[in-house]
Amino acid sequence: MNELTRQKTLAAVKTSTWDAFVVVVGMLKGGAGKTTSAWFIALYYAVVLGLRTLLLDADAISQSAYDWFKVAQAEGFEIPENLVVERYPFDDIAEYIQAKRAEFGAIVVDAGGGSARIFHEAVTEADRLIVPVAPTKIERRKLVATFDEAERAAARNERDVTAHVVLVKADDRTSLPRRAKESLLTPPKGEGLGEDRDGPFPLAETVIHSWVHYMEAFGEVPTELSEYAELMKELDAA
């Protein structure tokens, strides 16, 4: 998308009964399972709920979500007609989301760890923030910084944005998922939320396991959404 097209899109005045539900999938760290989560969640809205859905790749570095789309196209996978995938790794993403709300029923943003500014701007327009985290200490350590940035963005958000931590890449053959849950729900002082930095994180009950089905999904259009469908049903019912 060239600069002129971007300016025209952002300047467009749109009136419609549509007002997209915006889900930001993000964390201030790379390799956290954001892109896989964003794709499965976008497919849930497009295929299961039948909503016209926009998947925005807002990762300023890797742009894996858009790469996934291009590979799937090249491999001949059928992209759902009501799913649109775009690149938009720019700081004015909040304005872009505003401009696109009237066109879609759902917008899913893959906000990668490459830019805290883009993550912040995306959250200012979010209805829901989903933070995927693997059950390892190094990933959990980025949660405080992620939620600090999200809280600053939420202060500018006129919607009732909710945040949810989702445990991904879980292997029940190890003790890591259990220990991670304990640490997220009863974090040591300095590693949690709140004034004393020991408050619990808003952890979803649904766990995304380290199944080959997810790890090998890149470049495909999965028809079985498995645990992601259960996750979205849980969050929608909350």
Side-chain angles (χ1 to χ4, degrees), residues 6-22:
R6 287 178 58 221
Q7 290 175 356
K8 286 183 177 179
T9 302
L10 293 176
V13 178
K14 301 178 183 296
T15 57
S16 170
T17 56
W18 283 110
D19 185 19
F21 188 80
V22 178

Side-chain angles (χ1 to χ4, degrees), residues 11 39 41 77 101 115 121 124 139 183-184 190 238:
W39 255 95
I41 290 168
F77 283 93
R101 276 188 182 273
S115 171
E121 291 299 316
T124 65
E139 293 232 355
S183 180
L184 291 168

Side-chain angles (χ1 to χ4, degrees), residues 119-146:
F119 172 81
H120 177 104
E121 291 299 316
V123 173
T124 65
E125 281 296 310
D127 294 281
R128 177 180 293 158
L129 169 64
I130 294 178
V131 184
V133 60
T136 60
K137 288 182 179 179
I138 191 170
E139 293 232 355
R140 297 199 304 273
R141 285 183 64 82
K142 289 294 183 180
L143 278 176
V144 172
T146 297

Side-chain angles (χ1 to χ4, degrees), residues 43-223:
L43 287 169
Y44 174 81
Y45 282 113
V47 177
V48 177
L49 298 188
L51 295 175
R52 179 166 162 77
T53 301
L54 173 62
L55 173 55
L56 278 181
D57 189 333
D59 194 315
I61 298 177
S62 67
Q63 293 165 31
S64 298
Y66 190 73
D67 188 31
W68 184 321
F69 168 65
K70 299 302 290 184
V71 171
Q73 276 190 322
E75 293 293 328
F77 283 93
E78 183 177 354
I79 311 296
E81 290 184 0
N82 59 346
L83 176 63
V84 177
V85 184
E86 295 182 0
R87 292 171 58 252
Y88 204 87
F90 306 109
D91 289 351
D92 60 355
I93 190 169
E95 297 173 65
Y96 193 71
I97 292 171
Q98 289 173 10
K100 290 293 184 178
R101 276 188 182 273
E103 297 181 32
F104 295 90
I107 298 176
V108 179
V109 184
D110 179 3
S115 171
R117 173 67 182 276
I118 292 176
F119 172 81
H120 177 104
E121 291 299 316
V123 173
T124 65
E125 281 296 310
D127 294 281
R128 177 180 293 158
L129 169 64
I130 294 178
V131 184
V133 60
T136 60
K137 288 182 179 179
I138 191 170
E139 293 232 355
R140 297 199 304 273
R141 285 183 64 82
K142 289 294 183 180
L143 278 176
V144 172
T146 297
F147 271 80
D148 282 349
E149 194 63 52
E151 287 179 2
R152 285 190 285 270
R156 298 174 50 207
N157 190 326
E158 297 180 357
R159 298 166 183 269
D160 294 326
V161 57
T162 60
H164 311 270
V165 174
V166 179
L167 201 61
V168 300
K169 302 181 182 180
D171 186 347
D172 288 339
R173 295 173 298 179
T174 73
S175 63
L176 285 177
R178 175 182 56 78
R179 289 161 56 189
K181 285 182 182 180
E182 292 174 354
S183 180
L184 291 168
L185 294 175
T186 55
K189 192 165 186 176
E191 298 180 17
L193 301 179
E195 292 184 7
D196 295 327
R197 296 293 189 184
D198 59 357
F201 288 93
L203 181 64
E205 291 185 12
T206 304
V207 174
I208 308 299
H209 289 87
S210 57
W211 291 348
V212 173
H213 176 55
Y214 303 134
M215 293 186 287
E216 293 295 312
F218 177 85
E220 301 180 0
V221 180
T223 56

